[in-house]
Amino acid sequence: MKKRVAIIAANGGLFDAYKVFNIATAAAATEAEVAIFFTFEGLNLIHKEAYQQLPLPEGKEQIQQGFAQANVPSIPELVSMAQEMGVKFIACQMTMDVMGLTKEHFVDGIDVGGAVTFLDFAKDADITLTF
């Protein structure tokens, strides 16, 4: 039986994005079934405009150059990789409503659902992580 990995993405910075998508793609590479629930600032990680310019922690601006020199994929590239590997993206309906966002604000291929949608997946998860 496939392992299940459930990830909650609640923060919207560049480091948060790398944590979420590195774990998600690594888990998917091991044939695990992976779902990410994006809520609050975490929605930035899949927002068509925001995910191209996620903020770095103050004083860490030089790390951007390190990512480039180490050939680390960009967040848009990691989003595409994760989707190609079958990672399920669930955008939080409540947060979207509060922020006045619609499915069209986000990358293609996402599901929109509430906490119950994610919990239905997570209840059988072998690993649950929050970033």
Side-chain angles (χ1 to χ4, degrees):
M1 190 161 163
K2 277 188 166 185
K3 293 239 184 244
R4 276 188 159 199
V5 178
I7 301 170
I8 298 172
N11 295 296
L14 187 66
F15 286 4
D16 304 300
Y18 276 113
K19 294 172 199 173
V20 167
F21 294 117
N22 283 337
I23 295 293
T25 54
T30 67
E31 303 294 314
E33 190 179 356
V34 183
I36 308 170
F37 184 67
F38 298 90
T39 188
F40 295 100
E41 289 87 7
L43 285 172
N44 287 337
L45 308 188
I46 55 170
H47 188 279
K48 284 180 184 173
E49 293 171 18
Y51 86 144
Q52 297 181 44
Q53 53 193 9
L54 295 170
L56 278 163
E58 196 171 319
K60 301 288 185 187
E61 294 78 13
Q62 76 283 3
I63 290 182
Q64 190 68 42
Q65 184 179 355
F67 282 135
Q69 289 174 340
N71 294 316
V72 175
S74 68
I75 296 308
E77 290 171 316
L78 284 171
V79 166
S80 294
M81 287 171 53
Q83 288 182 308
E84 288 167 15
M85 298 173 84
V87 175
K88 183 176 185 174
F89 290 1
I90 305 167
C92 177
Q93 180 71 65
M94 181 201 72
T95 305
M96 289 171 59
D97 291 347
V98 168
M99 295 181 171
L101 299 169
T102 64
K103 191 171 181 176
E104 290 68 39
H105 287 98
F106 300 97
V107 297
D108 292 336
I110 68 161
D111 293 328
V112 175
V116 171
T117 304
F118 178 71
L119 290 171
D120 189 49
F121 177 90
K123 69 179 172 26
D124 297 318
D126 299 286
I127 300 167
T128 304
L129 302 166
T130 302
F131 294 105

